Structures are given as structure tokens and as C-alpha cells.
Amino acid sequence: MIAISRDARRKPRKEPPSPLRGDGLSAESQEVDALLRQCCSALHDALPLDLVFAARRNANGSLRVLAHAGKNSAALKELLEHGLVWQGPGASACLATALASAEPYVCRDNGRALPSCWLGAMPGLCGRGTCMLPIVAGGSAWGVIVMCPSAPDTFDERALDALRTEFGAQLGAALERQTQAALVNLLGAALSAAANAIFITDRDAVIEWVNDAFVALTGYPREEAIGRTPRLLHSGVQDAEYYRALTTAIRAGRPWSGEITNRRRDGKLYVAQQTITPILEGKRHVRHFVAIQQDVTERKRLEREIGELALGAELARQSERSQIAREVHDELGGSLVSLRHDIEWLTDRTTDAASLERLQIMLELVAHSLASARQIVTGLRPAIVEEQGLGGAIGWLAREFRQHHDIAVELDLSPALKRVDLTQAVETYRVVQECLTNVAKHACASRVRIDGRINDQLLVLEVEDDGHGSRSGGDAGGRRGMTERALLMGGYLEIGRAAAGGTRVRLVVPLATGETER
């Protein structure tokens, strides 16, 4: 309530209803501008004011008038043309004091103009006694109500106290409610209009709200989805362990993100990239869950098609390399072997020292050419993989590596590696070959460990060294080649720091045969 005392000898003034009662300031349905207009009108009716206006504080030091009341609109227009400033050059000291302290402030100048106050430059509007009432919302001064009285002694201590404790407090609370309601409406509209499917559940995973994108993606109308759990979308593709890990994470208050295959209302499957975020009450207590799903079905289909095309191209390249390897082995290798035999025949029948020396040089050159041809054939078509399987081929590669580089190689290879598909075995062999090449060139290592196993239909192979670690800007082409091979097989490659301080390369590939280790 606002209590007004006046001189009884003056003409009685009609007492208007208090602006703090009824629907008034507590009406949450009002817009902010409408609420401020109501406040200005109520203050003008309750107090002897020539002008009252409400302005919002801007961060740049200016004020923006949102509502006003009174007959002196010409003065307000002139003030607006000059600009309302509470901070910076030409700022009002009265406004600055009120906004900084968040307390009502009365400009008292004994009839003289206030050089530091823009209101004082309008003696026709208000000389002394102008009251600045800060609007405090959210713990800070949101804006200000400026009241220019027709009588200089309108705002005494009692009036200021009433304005502060009653009117200002309720106005600030109502304004904060309006701001929060506007923000909630904005967030609700944003969530409803979002392109990704969003649904909110309670702590027991019962769906409480879904947006339009959820309805479009899943085919479930709101009335069918709300009140049920996300189990209505289960497709059976994910096993119980998948959902157990998901539930454990979110109930512990941690966000979870991953791909999930769900079933629409019409029975069709779709793949979604899903993120579930717990909404906490306090620090640990989970109140709600917010799930966001992005439909990636088409992207996954394109990725599969691209992978199949890339795998087909790789198989064609392997076939071409095998053909070249056979030609090098049969034609060039055969010719070099025949040449070596001829040189040895001549050596046995020549007695001239100079000729023997020349033949010996030719024989060494042929031997070197044969070794190079064998390396080329092995590089084009590692027949060792086809003959001995992946585990045997890696073992042979490790022995060759030890012999040429004097670096110890430890092997821990599962016998089940023999069941790996030949195409995948060749690509995996290439990855190990590239890893060992990088170790020899860049790592300065004394030991390499190769671990290969099959876990849950996944081929997992790790190569770890004790060198100086992976460096950026190293063999980028080799890394890119290994990564591309992993992607062609539908897997992925991780390169990081090993426990011994060197580099750790981890290849994970789903088995093409679908077999698992027994």
C-alpha cells in the first residue's frame, strides 16, 4: 500500500485504488511494457505528479523509455530528443546515484537548476524534489521510474520508505516474474520449433513433453508418447548392456551421447545420434532428463554405400597388385634367375682375372635385383598372409623387422586371428607394416609390442613402442593411409601415447565373417 498524507486545508483529492492490489502487479499474463504503463498510471493518479515515466537501463549507459503518464508530454519529448543517459558524458548524477545504490533518490536543489542532472535543465518540468525509484529485479537495478512532482515536498522519508518497501519491491518481483515467464516462453518456443527431435522425461523416464520434430520423426502423436517411457522406441538392435551403460551414466548425473537404432510407430527403423542430459535439482539429485535425437539414417546409408564402393575399389586394386606381383615374380624373377645361372656357368669356365671380377660384379647385381624383386612382390601381394593367416604373417614380419633393425618385438597374438577374412587380414597386415616402418624411422625405440585378439566380433590389434612418442607433423601420409584402411574395413584407428612413453596405435575392426573367438 502507499500511504499519502496531505494538508487538510487543500481541496480534497479523489483517492484512487492502490496499484498494489487486485490483478495489478501480480498479473503474470501482462507484458512488461503493459505492466510499466499500469504502474505509471497508478502513480500519476495516486501522487501529485506532472510527469512519470519508466525507463530500462542499457549497458551502453543510456535509458530507453517504455511507459509514461502525465500531461507534460512535451517535456518528455524534449528529454528524449536530448537523450537519456545515466552513465558516461552528460549523465545524470541523480540517476547514476539511484541506479548504483538501487535505492530511491530525490534530487533537491532548492529551486536552482542542477548542472549535473539533465532533469535540472528543465526547470519548467521539475525544479526540485524529482524522485528516482530504481526497479530492482534479479538483485540489480533493471531500470528506473522517474517521478516529477508538482509540489517540491511530495517525497518525504515516509513516502520514500513506502515506495521502497511496498511499491518498488512488488514491482521488481512482478517484473522478474514477467522476465522469467518471457524467457520460459522463448525457450519453449525454441524447443518446439527445433529441427531435432526433443523429449523430456521425469526421473523415472516417463515422457512428459515432446516437440513437433519428435512427432514427425517417430510417428507417435503427443497423446500416445506422453505418459510412456522411451521403451516404445526400442528396436531390439541394442542389447541390454548398451541400455545398462546408458542408464548408469545419466542416473549418475552425467550426460550421455551415442548412436541408437530406434523403431518408428509404423515399424520402420531409423538411426539417431542421441544426447541425453540430466537436469539436476541441487548438485546430485536428478529431476528430469532431456533427450535430443538427430536423424542420421540417410547419412549412415550414404556412409555404407561409400564404404562399399571404397572397399570394391580396394579389392580391385588388390587384384591388380596381385596380377603385377605375379608378372614380376614369374617374368622378371624367372629372367633374373636364368641370368644368374648363366653368369655362374661363365664364372666356372673363365680363368681371366679381369673377366672373373666383372662376372662377380654382375652376379652381385643380379642377386640384389632378385632381392628387390622379392620385396616388390611382397609389397604388392603379401602371399604370407594367404599362406599362414594374419597371425603367422605378423610373426614373420616381426622376425624380419628384428633382423633388419635390431629392435626387440614382443608378440601376443590370439590363435583366432587365423579366422579373419583374407581381405581384412591383408589390410590389417598393411597397418602393422606401416606401424613398424614408422617405429624404425621416427621412434628411436628399443622395444615394440604387438597384441592381436578378437573380442565380441571385433578384431582389436595394438602396436606399442617405448620410443619418444608421437609427434605432430610426423609421417602424416602413413597415418592417413592407416586411418583410411581402418575406415574401409568399417572400423577406426586410435593413435595416442603408450604407457611406456612411446606411441600406441589401436585398430578396431568388426569381423567381416561375423565370427567370434571361442
Side-chain angles (χ1 to χ4, degrees):
M1 298 179 62
I2 295 180
I4 305 297
S5 61
R6 61 179 182 275
D7 191 343
R9 294 171 295 179
R10 298 182 181 179
K11 181 179 179 181
R13 179 181 176 88
K14 179 183 178 181
E15 292 291 346
S18 169
L20 306 180
R21 292 182 178 275
D23 293 334
L25 303 181
S26 62
E28 298 183 2
S29 61
Q30 296 186 91
E31 296 293 336
V32 172
D33 291 3
L35 178 66
L36 294 176
R37 284 195 297 271
Q38 180 190 9
C39 292
C40 290
S41 298
L43 287 170
H44 184 264
D45 290 341
L47 300 170
L49 303 177
D50 289 334
L51 176 65
V52 56
F53 63 90
R56 180 170 185 171
R57 183 182 71 170
N58 295 324
N60 62 1
S62 64
L63 286 167
R64 183 164 65 94
V65 175
L66 301 178
H68 64 89
K71 56 186 179 182
N72 208 331
S73 58
L76 179 61
K77 180 180 179 182
E78 188 172 350
L79 288 173
L80 292 175
E81 290 176 351
H82 284 80
L84 307 180
V85 183
W86 66 273
Q87 191 178 57
S92 162
C94 298
L95 278 175
T97 300
L99 291 173
S101 64
E103 293 289 339
Y105 184 79
V106 178
C107 296
R108 304 190 185 281
D109 64 338
N110 297 323
R112 297 190 302 272
L114 297 176
S116 62
C117 176
W118 48 262
L119 285 175
M122 299 289 182
L125 172 63
C126 57
R128 56 187 178 179
T130 300
C131 180
M132 317 287 182
L133 176 64
I135 305 173
V136 180
S140 62
W142 179 89
V144 63
I145 294 181
V146 179
M147 292 167 281
C148 305
S150 55
D153 56 352
T154 299
F155 299 104
D156 55 15
E157 290 301 325
R158 288 186 177 182
L160 289 178
D161 186 62
L163 287 172
R164 179 191 302 109
T165 59
E166 297 294 339
F167 185 83
Q170 292 200 33
L171 173 60
L175 185 61
E176 190 166 352
R177 288 196 300 271
Q178 296 294 343
T179 303
Q180 293 297 327
L183 180 60
V184 169
N185 291 335
L186 176 62
L187 293 177
L191 291 175
S192 297
N196 293 336
I198 302 175
F199 62 94
I200 300 176
T201 75
D202 63 12
R203 68 183 69 181
D204 297 321
V206 177
I207 298 175
E208 295 185 347
W209 181 88
V210 300
N211 68 346
D212 294 339
F214 176 91
V215 175
L217 176 62
T218 66
Y220 284 96
R222 283 185 173 82
E223 57 272 16
E224 290 189 27
I226 294 175
R228 301 176 67 180
T229 68
R231 292 190 185 90
L232 84 163
L233 302 175
H234 283 194
S235 61
V237 174
Q238 289 79 214
D239 56 14
E241 181 59 31
Y242 176 94
Y243 290 106
R244 189 178 300 112
L246 184 157
T247 303
T248 301
I250 61 176
R251 289 200 178 279
R254 301 189 304 269
W256 180 93
S257 181
E259 284 188 0
I260 187 170
T261 301
N262 285 335
R263 189 179 301 277
R264 293 186 174 93
R265 189 171 183 267
D266 59 7
K268 295 181 179 179
L269 300 181
Y270 70 94
V271 183
Q273 179 66 38
Q274 179 171 261
T275 300
I276 304 177
T277 304
I279 299 177
L280 302 181
E281 186 175 17
K283 292 186 177 180
R284 297 193 177 187
H285 185 64
V286 176
R287 182 177 178 182
H288 287 86
F289 298 104
V290 178
I292 302 175
Q293 290 189 352
Q294 181 183 6
D295 187 5
V296 295
T297 306
E298 182 65 16
R299 189 190 75 188
K300 299 297 290 185
R301 184 187 67 79
L302 293 175
E303 288 178 355
R304 285 195 301 271
E305 291 184 358
I306 293 173
E308 291 172 359
L309 291 174
L311 183 58
E314 179 61 23
L315 292 174
R317 286 196 295 268
Q318 285 188 22
S319 177
E320 185 177 354
R321 287 196 293 264
S322 298
Q323 179 65 29
I324 296 173
R326 283 192 295 268
E327 292 179 0
V328 171
H329 180 272
D330 297 341
E331 299 295 332
L332 180 59
S335 299
L336 288 174
V337 170
S338 298
L339 181 59
R340 184 184 64 183
H341 290 162
D342 290 341
I343 295 173
E344 290 174 347
W345 185 87
L346 288 173
T347 301
D348 293 338
R349 289 161 177 75
T350 301
T351 58
D352 180 66
S355 298
L356 286 172
E357 183 180 357
R358 177 67 64 179
L359 289 172
Q360 188 61 37
I361 293 174
M362 294 172 63
L363 190 61
E364 292 176 358
L365 181 60
V366 170
H368 178 73
S369 298
L370 277 171
S372 298
R374 283 195 294 269
Q375 290 180 358
I376 292 172
V377 170
T378 302
L380 289 172
R381 178 175 172 267
I384 189 71
V385 178
E386 188 173 356
E387 295 170 359
Q388 300 189 21
L390 179 58
I394 293 176
W396 174 86
L397 187 62
R399 291 190 296 272
E400 289 290 312
F401 181 79
R402 277 195 299 261
Q403 180 179 352
H404 289 89
H405 300 288
D406 193 25
I407 298 176
V409 180
E410 300 176 6
L411 296 178
D412 185 6
L413 304 175
S414 169
L417 293 181
K418 292 182 179 179
R419 302 199 305 269
V420 177
D421 174 81
L422 178 60
T423 301
Q424 288 187 334
V426 171
E427 295 298 326
T428 304
Y429 173 86
R430 300 287 190 191
V431 172
V432 177
Q433 193 176 40
E434 183 63 36
C435 288
L436 293 179
T437 300
N438 289 337
V439 170
K441 288 183 178 180
H442 308 295
C444 298
S446 61
R447 182 184 61 83
V448 179
R449 185 176 185 276
I450 303 176
D451 179 271
R453 59 192 183 277
I454 295 176
N455 291 336
D456 297 330
Q457 297 187 0
L458 291 176
L459 167 62
V460 181
L461 189 135
E462 297 180 356
V463 180
E464 182 178 305
D465 66 74
D466 62 350
H468 51 52
S470 177
R471 296 178 297 175
S472 59
D475 190 357
R479 295 187 181 195
R480 183 165 57 250
M482 291 190 294
T483 301
E484 289 175 354
R485 292 183 188 279
L487 293 175
L488 283 174
M489 293 185 286
Y492 63 90
L493 189 81
E494 294 177 346
I495 300 178
R497 192 167 185 83
T503 301
R504 174 176 171 269
V505 179
R506 185 170 187 262
L507 173 69
V508 180
V509 176
L511 287 181
T513 59
E515 296 181 66
T516 58
E517 185 175 13
R518 294 168 188 160

